Amino acid sequence: MGDLAVGARSGHEGPEERPGRSEERPGRSEEPVPPAAEDDVPPGADSGSGDDAGRGGGRDERDDTDGAAPAPRKQRSFWKELPLLIGIALVLALLIKTFLVQAFSIPSDSMQNTLQQGDRVLVDKLTPWFGSEPERGEVVVFHDPAEWLAGEPTADPNVLQTALSWIGLMPSSEEKDLIKRVVGVGGDTVECKGTGPLKVNGKALNEPYVYPGNTPCTVDDGGGQFKVKVPEGKIWVMGDHRQNSLDSRYHQQDKHQGFVPVGNVVGRAVVVAWPPTRWSTLPVPDTFDQNLSAAAPGVLGLAGAVPLVLWRRRRPTVGNTRVSGSRTAG
């Protein structure tokens, strides 16, 4: 249409444009659209013309290109992302092992029947970071405090076991750790006479977790008979299989006198996670819910004595002018 408008305009130039009235009429009929009318054509009205379609550069085509959404980014292949995913998983596993939870294997029968040899337990390592200390009745994992495991054979792991232990999915063969039940904490007096019962601060414990057929205390000359006071910052531990556990009782001659420093405690065992048929939690037994605190009697006695002393001091004295006068002067 634009070409037609230019042709009509050029045909009227020069003096030939002024003939008579009869010649002007054909001139007007040859001009189909005034030049200004081209701007009034709505965009895209002539997008189907042959000239514009052939050139491919029409106005409408430019507008469509400028307004189109950007092409989507090409997604990376799974195999290229796999190393990144593995790296993230390893970092998370390492953080979990270091600060949250770690798996440990039970290598002996000293905690039967609570724990069996070959069980895998999950140990809470988070709460010690917030200042939490072991409590009576908890099953805890702790680093060997004074060569308790001297002479014990060390496993020789393969490459896969070493990798799994590094990320916390298997216990490390290099770490010498033990697992026992906390019986006494700092300030407690723990005592065994005869076959038992075991006493903490003079109170007998009912211990249903002790291995069937065992007595709570062991009659022997190696340490089964004892009475100890636990220092602050340490714990006294014993195995549930009392006649098959080399625990605090049998290390009273070492540098810690059988006590385990709180700083050696890795964490509390909370769940038996493997095998699936053995899955169970490890709660604190009810026998430790009784008031076993060594400081409780003294505190209660002091609390009862203070009101009595105050009452005696404030009671009016009859016939004793010396006391009365001194109190007034004071």
Side-chain angles (χ1 to χ4, degrees):
M1 182 181 292
D3 293 340
L4 294 176
V6 172
R9 193 165 51 243
S10 61
H12 292 310
E13 293 178 358
E16 295 180 356
E17 196 172 335
R18 296 184 177 267
R21 187 182 297 259
S22 60
E23 292 182 3
E24 272 183 26
R25 223 174 268 158
R28 287 199 194 102
S29 61
E30 290 178 1
E31 186 175 345
V33 178
E38 184 176 356
D39 295 334
D40 297 334
V41 179
D46 58 345
S47 59
S49 63
D51 293 340
D52 290 340
R55 286 193 300 269
R59 181 174 180 177
D60 296 329
E61 188 174 350
R62 285 197 305 271
D63 292 343
D64 292 343
T65 302
D66 295 339
R73 294 181 60 185
K74 186 178 180 181
Q75 200 169 19
R76 299 173 70 180
S77 68
F78 171 77
W79 297 110
K80 289 183 178 179
E81 298 223 353
L82 183 60
L84 178 61
L85 295 176
I86 293 177
I88 294 174
L90 291 176
V91 171
L92 290 176
L94 183 60
L95 291 175
I96 291 172
K97 168 191 171 183
T98 304
F99 300 105
L100 300 179
V101 177
Q102 186 174 4
F104 286 85
S105 176
I106 307 303
S108 70
D109 298 329
S110 66
M111 282 297 293
Q112 285 181 322
N113 272 338
T114 304
L115 299 173
Q116 301 290 347
Q117 187 174 164
D119 284 352
R120 300 289 196 274
V121 296
L122 297 182
V123 174
D124 170 24
K125 301 177 70 176
L126 177 63
T127 50
W129 285 90
F130 293 94
S132 175
E133 295 189 355
E135 298 182 1
R136 304 181 197 93
E138 294 180 347
V139 177
V140 298
V141 172
F142 55 94
H143 299 312
D144 189 343
E147 302 297 327
W148 287 19
L149 296 175
E152 293 288 333
T154 302
D156 187 15
N158 55 36
V159 176
L160 179 60
Q161 290 173 332
T162 302
L164 292 177
S165 66
W166 184 78
I167 62 176
L169 298 180
M170 287 189 67
S172 173
S173 61
E174 298 178 359
E175 295 179 359
K176 293 186 175 182
D177 299 317
L178 300 98
I179 185 166
K180 306 290 180 185
R181 189 181 297 276
V182 179
V183 174
V185 296
D188 289 345
T189 298
V190 186
E191 179 181 5
C192 256
K193 287 184 178 180
T195 58
L198 176 69
K199 293 183 178 180
V200 177
N201 297 324
K203 296 183 179 181
L205 299 183
N206 175 27
E207 300 182 281
Y209 47 81
V210 170
Y211 185 73
N214 281 191
T215 54
C217 298
T218 303
V219 181
D220 58 40
D221 298 330
Q225 303 292 291
F226 63 90
K227 183 176 182 179
V228 297
K229 184 171 183 179
V230 185
E232 294 296 331
K234 295 185 178 180
I235 57 176
W236 182 267
V237 297
M238 297 174 68
D240 291 353
H241 199 335
R242 293 290 159 82
Q243 273 72 58
N244 189 22
S245 176
L246 296 177
D247 45 41
S248 290
R249 299 170 292 172
Y250 300 103
H251 294 90
Q252 297 184 57
Q253 305 305 317
D254 66 21
K255 62 181 181 180
H256 297 298
Q257 299 178 336
F259 303 109
V260 178
V262 171
N264 282 45
V265 176
V266 176
R268 174 188 172 187
V270 292
V271 172
V272 180
W274 190 266
T277 55
R278 292 272 303 148
W279 192 95
S280 61
T281 58
L282 297 170
V284 174
D286 293 339
T287 188
F288 291 95
D289 289 341
Q290 59 180 316
N291 186 10
L292 299 174
S293 176
V299 172
L300 292 176
L302 180 62
V306 169
L308 179 62
V309 171
L310 293 176
W311 175 75
R312 288 179 60 86
R313 287 178 60 86
R314 292 180 181 179
R315 187 178 59 179
T317 303
V318 179
N320 191 339
T321 56
R322 179 181 178 185
V323 173
S324 178
S326 63
R327 191 175 57 160
T328 304

